[in-house]
């Protein structure tokens, strides 16, 4: 299991067609109020938390009050890379805002 955090990242991870299964949403009341018409599904457990609780849970301060616990990413089997003409590998990419 992994954590995805940040308001836009969580919204995208909950959007139709997302590749990772969402297991639990942890968010501050203020962050939950920003969902508007794109509320999390009723089947998703939601835990309200304070910002310092998220800091401790995630080990970062840049969570924007929202974190989503998701299942493992369904990686492409390595044998499929041999079929491609171009392979791009990225590591530790972050959003500079």
């Amino acid at each position: 299991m992994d954590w995805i955090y940040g308001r836009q990242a969580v919204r995208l991870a909950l959007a139709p067609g997302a590749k990772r299964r969402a297991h639990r949403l942890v968010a501050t009341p203020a962050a939950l109020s920003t969902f508007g018409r794109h509320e999390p599904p009723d089947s998703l457990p939601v835990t309200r938390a304070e910002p310092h609780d998220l800091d401790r849970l995630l080990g970062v301060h840049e969570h924007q009050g929202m974190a989503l616990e998701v299942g493992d990413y369904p990686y492409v089997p390595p044998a499929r890379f041999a079929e491609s003409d171009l392979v791009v590998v990225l590591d530790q990419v972050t959003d500079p805002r």
Side-chain angles (χ1 to χ4, degrees):
M1 299 269 197
D2 290 317
W3 287 97
I4 293 174
Y5 55 88
R7 293 179 185 185
Q8 186 62 17
V10 168
R11 281 189 192 97
L12 290 173
L14 291 172
K19 296 188 184 246
R20 299 174 89 172
R21 183 172 174 263
H23 293 282
R24 175 172 59 134
L25 177 66
V26 180
T28 64
L32 283 173
S33 70
T34 66
F35 264 106
R37 62 184 176 93
H38 299 290
E39 291 190 19
D42 291 334
S43 60
L44 182 66
V46 177
T47 302
R48 286 174 168 65
E50 294 301 317
H52 65 272
D53 297 325
L54 283 166
D55 293 348
R56 199 170 332 125
L57 176 69
L58 301 169
V60 298
H61 301 290
E62 297 83 14
H63 47 71
Q64 298 176 328
M66 193 175 291
L68 182 69
E69 188 176 26
V70 294
D72 294 334
Y73 189 83
Y75 287 101
V76 173
R80 294 237 357 243
F81 289 122
E83 302 169 6
S84 300
D85 293 330
L86 174 67
V87 175
V88 177
V89 179
L90 303 172
D91 185 28
Q92 297 185 5
V93 176
T94 60
D95 180 359
R97 299 179 210 252

